[in-house]
Amino acid sequence: MTERTPLLHYRLSTSVNESEPRSPPLGMAVVQHHGSPRQKAGHQRQPKKLSVFIGVVIPTLLSMFSVVVFLRIGFMVGYSGLYQAIAMLLVAYFIICMTVLSVCAISTNGALDAGGAYYMISRALGPEFGGSIGLMFFLANVCGSALFVLGLVEAILATFGVPEDGSAVTSVYQVLPSGYWWSLLYATGISLLCLLVCLVGANIYAKATFLIFLVVMFVLGTIFISFFAVHPHTIVLPSSSAFNPSANGTGPGFPTTANFTGFKLETLLGNLWANYTVDYTTGTTMTFASVFAVMFNGCTGIMAGSNMSGDLKNPSYAIPRGTITAVIFTFIIYNLLSVLVACSCDRILLQRDYSFLRDINIWNPFVTIGVYSSTFSAAMSNLIGASRILYALARDDLFGKVLSPAKKTSHSGNPWASVLLSWFLVQLVLFSGKLNTIASIVTIFFLLVYAAVDLACLALEWASAPNFRPTFRYFTWHTCALGIVGCAVMMFLINAIYASASIAFMLLLLLLIHYLSPTSSWGYISQALIFHQVRKYLLMLDVRKDHVKFWRPQVLLMVSNPRSSVGLIKFINDIKKSGLYVLGHVQLGDLNTLPSDPLQSQYDSWLSLVDNLNIKSFVNLTLADSVRHGVQHLLFISGLGGMRPNTLVLGFYDDCLPKDKLIDPSLCTSQPRDPSGSLDELEQQSPLFHFASLRGSSDRQDYGEFGDGKVLGSQEYVAIIADAMKMLKNVVLARYFNDFDRAQVLSPPSSSPGKGAVYVDVWPVNLLRPDSSSYVDTCSLFLLQLACILNMVRAWRKATLRLFLCVEEGRSVRGSGEKLGQLLKELRIKAQVYSVPWDQQVALHWQRQGEWGKKQSSQSADSAKEEEKQRPDEEEENDYVNSFPSNATRLSNDYLSAVNKLILDPARPAPAVRFLYLPRPPADTSCYTTYLHQLDLLTQDLGPTLLIHGVTPVITTDL
């Protein structure tokens, strides 16, 4: 063997082995489990039969040893010294042991299917993380296989190749021609051999790895024996063409010989402390970080056993025991070799000859055989591991139809299509000839996978899910966090640029899979974590600590049929101001007479509606014997802790026929629909929504925007309003929102009055109480707050708030106006204040008051019978006792129509929406119909209008 061999072997170890050690095959059990009946029959003919030792211990040992045990021990001790070498091993094994604990915990938490790390991550963190990490795992295995193939070719040519530079042949064994194309030919032959083994299946691979394991262990045994059996002697050091100070006269030349001293105290003392010098193969000065990065790559490979999960008899039993056994064994071997090397080899030998173990072995070719065997094992296992990962990705359909061909399997369940695709990619990588430049990023890919496994275990532990009950309990969230930090530190220690690039690549893959939105039934850890955190913070949200300056609307919108309420649902979403928003629905019925809860089948349609309308809302449905009782249920039970609705929104009680707004194809993700089709046809074409058909013109059902298709009387409707106010809930009645389209409203044509400006009108006076001119009571300020909240929404920021003060001649409103103006200034609310004379309207009111007073006097002088005869026929002339808090308000239709025309003044540009004052319902329930009739006249033809009543202070000027 020439003096070039140690150099080539070092390059193989320091570059090729910076890639992650091999990923043994993922099992065939899942292939047969999810495959066709014929594949299942194949599974019965070829059952899982890998034991702990064959399936886990051997792959993990070969992954962690590889050529590292032969070529890196002297490198580590030579530069860092024995003390720091042992410290490096302790730190490195501490990092990987944290990940091993996470692997053991996840693998013992249930039935582990084929897929190894990818299966663990995807099932714990969801398809986005699982798919992105899985693809990186696959690419790392492909590149790792190519790296080991090229490294094996380089090692073979170092022994048997004819020198490419034309120098003299020094050995009779140097018969193989060298060059790029010859190297590619040799690499292709080796990869074809790996392909044949992988195509046969996992069983032949397991047998091959067992034979390789025997060879490696035998060579390792000869190395230990050699320290005791070989006599001290002098070794000729290899020459270095990479760096030689004596060649340019800048320093003394490197020595040409070094000693194998045997066990001597002097030798041990000389190797205890660090001595970082120039690397003779690269010309760079070694540091603690650079030596640690090289050494750490020899300690990885811990996932090799878990990647055999599909071929193991009992993965939950085998993976923890096999992985921990392999880790402990390799740790002992590395430390023993470090001590033996430090006690018997000169430091110059360790620093200048990285393949010195060959020179001190009882038979030199033993080490070469070990290097060849371990490298071939690495290439083969990376290839079969990549194919199994690709098959698992294809089977989960995370990337659509792109990976569909990789699903094909043989009769025995071997994914031959994935093997061929993986081999093809390996062959493409082989054309590069050398892969030293990407070896580090391959290692970083694997470290990222290890960190993701730790993250998965950490998330499961933090979520405190009852079903997370691993039988392996020797872990905590602290060990998971330490594993994540350790892997991240190692990534940036090896190469900060590559680490940043790999993380960016993972994030891009994550966004891509999120965009593709694959469906899965694995469960999402994010939901468990959110539940855990929300529960904790809900308990901390103490209603006793509420303050008015942090008040926000928390809305319960009662919806009868979403088909007619799309505009209102979207509008209320704008005024919630990051508060709670609940869509409520009452279905009439009695659970005692029903075979099952009819509401459970409706939730999917409601949630699909929320998704398609792109609103942030919850859905709460209830079953009750009446709409009134159903609304009471929802007001009592909606929300949790401090997050409960404080505002009830109802559609107005009128005769307007609803319009189906879900016919719009843009609200459905299914195929485009034909709007001209019948409602039944549209229902069939729109499977997302399964809501009842709307009522027809001949089937009058006056129940506003809620209910379930039953008739709701005016008495019950007003009673719902009264109930909400008794429960100290703010009430909002929404009218004329059936045709409301925010996009159209906020983009009016420039030719319209107002030249395209958008207005929001606020009338903060109780128009049903003309004798009360207060503009700053609780309800008025609530109107103002809601209008301001609407104006703060991005889409409504260009809208102009117009505040109208009703001015009566002879009554001074100067004080109220100045007070309101000052209040707006203190509240930082920008609004245009307008004074509107309403003397004519008020005159109509007082005129009616006088007529009513005279009539009451005449009635008191007559008998009961005469009183009955003199009673007016009009509905508004009925006894009106305790109708309003003043107990004296009498309103005529003429007054209400006049006020309606005042609000609807055509001289002003029409607003996008109006905010009006909603008075309390009368105390006398017999007057509910009259109350509703007055609201109807007041808001007739006003366009989108909100009648609002606030019961609690919601605004403050305090800092």
Side-chain angles (χ1 to χ4, degrees), residues 660-675:
D660 194 341
K661 295 299 182 179
L662 292 185
I663 296 179
D664 184 2
S666 64
L667 297 177
C668 185
T669 58
S670 61
Q671 297 295 326
R673 298 176 297 173
D674 181 12

Side-chain angles (χ1 to χ4, degrees), residues 779-793:
C779 189
S780 299
L781 294 179
F782 186 82
L783 258 74
L784 190 60
Q785 179 77 314
L786 284 190
C788 180
I789 288 174
L790 180 65
N791 199 216
M792 295 170 68
V793 177

Side-chain angles (χ1 to χ4, degrees), residues 798-814:
K798 294 184 179 180
T800 301
L801 291 183
R802 297 189 301 190
L803 192 63
F804 294 94
L805 300 181
C806 297
V807 179
E808 186 179 350
E809 186 178 356
R811 295 186 63 180
S812 174
V813 294
R814 181 178 179 182

